Amino acid sequence: MVFTPVAVSYKKNLENIQGGKNVNEIYLYFANAFNKIDHDIPLHKLRTLGIRGNLGEWLHSFFTKRTQQVKVQGTLSEPSQLISRVPQGSVLDPLLFLIMIGDGNKDLHRSHVTFFADDPRIVRDIHSASDVPLL
């Protein structure tokens, strides 16, 4: 997989289309991706990247030692431990997102990936019918 700047990707696609070639694209949207993630997944990825020791322990606490409460008409519920979801709104969000998707390219070959904010687009030139299922 090649990470390609959006402008370069657009120009390349335009040249292919004008030249009579085909291009397939997949647009992905990670709606509330961090709201549904099991804590063990990012923690495993962080360990795999060699993040251990004090920083690893701090990140473990960042993910796992969280509770939430709901307030309705002035009455606060009992705290409930969060077993999934990544805390949002921190300066770590962009880095954690990149760590989560960083190995998503291992099965992509001769494809280009561009991002608009955090939404990836995977592009592959189609030279024959056999290229379609490869994307």
Side-chain angles (χ1 to χ4, degrees), residues 64-113:
T64 59
K65 298 186 175 166
R66 298 215 173 241
T67 60
Q68 68 180 7
Q69 293 178 285
V70 177
K71 189 174 191 178
V72 177
Q73 296 179 351
T75 303
L76 199 58
S77 71
E78 292 294 318
S80 174
Q81 184 174 1
L82 292 174
I83 58 171
S84 65
R85 95 183 305 204
V86 174
Q88 295 179 20
S90 78
V91 296
L92 291 177
D93 285 356
L95 177 62
L96 292 172
F97 179 78
L98 290 174
I99 288 170
M100 288 304 301
I101 66 167
D103 61 355
N105 65 347
K106 65 183 177 194
D107 294 324
L108 295 177
H109 306 286
R110 292 182 300 248
S111 297
H112 302 279
V113 177

Side-chain angles (χ1 to χ4, degrees), residues 13-133:
N13 288 350
L14 187 59
E15 288 170 359
N16 283 337
I17 292 168
Q18 288 174 339
K21 297 177 184 173
N22 294 310
V23 176
N24 279 4
E25 297 186 12
I26 297 175
Y27 290 83
L28 301 174
Y29 175 65
F30 295 123
N32 298 315
F34 280 175
N35 287 340
K36 299 170 178 72
I37 193 164
D38 182 290
H39 292 144
D40 289 337
I41 296 170
L43 291 170
H44 173 73
K45 288 183 181 239
L46 290 165
R47 281 190 302 273
T48 301
L49 292 171
I51 299 174
R52 294 184 170 86
N54 289 340
L55 179 58
E57 290 176 25
W58 181 83
L59 286 166
H60 185 271
S61 289
F62 179 76
F63 283 106
T64 59
K65 298 186 175 166
R66 298 215 173 241
T67 60
Q68 68 180 7
Q69 293 178 285
V70 177
K71 189 174 191 178
V72 177
Q73 296 179 351
T75 303
L76 199 58
S77 71
E78 292 294 318
S80 174
Q81 184 174 1
L82 292 174
I83 58 171
S84 65
R85 95 183 305 204
V86 174
Q88 295 179 20
S90 78
V91 296
L92 291 177
D93 285 356
L95 177 62
L96 292 172
F97 179 78
L98 290 174
I99 288 170
M100 288 304 301
I101 66 167
D103 61 355
N105 65 347
K106 65 183 177 194
D107 294 324
L108 295 177
H109 306 286
R110 292 182 300 248
S111 297
H112 302 279
V113 177
T114 60
F115 283 83
F116 179 76
D118 59 355
D119 297 325
R121 177 181 71 162
I122 305 168
V123 181
R124 182 180 176 94
D125 298 345
I126 304 299
H127 302 284
S128 68
S130 63
D131 287 337
V132 176

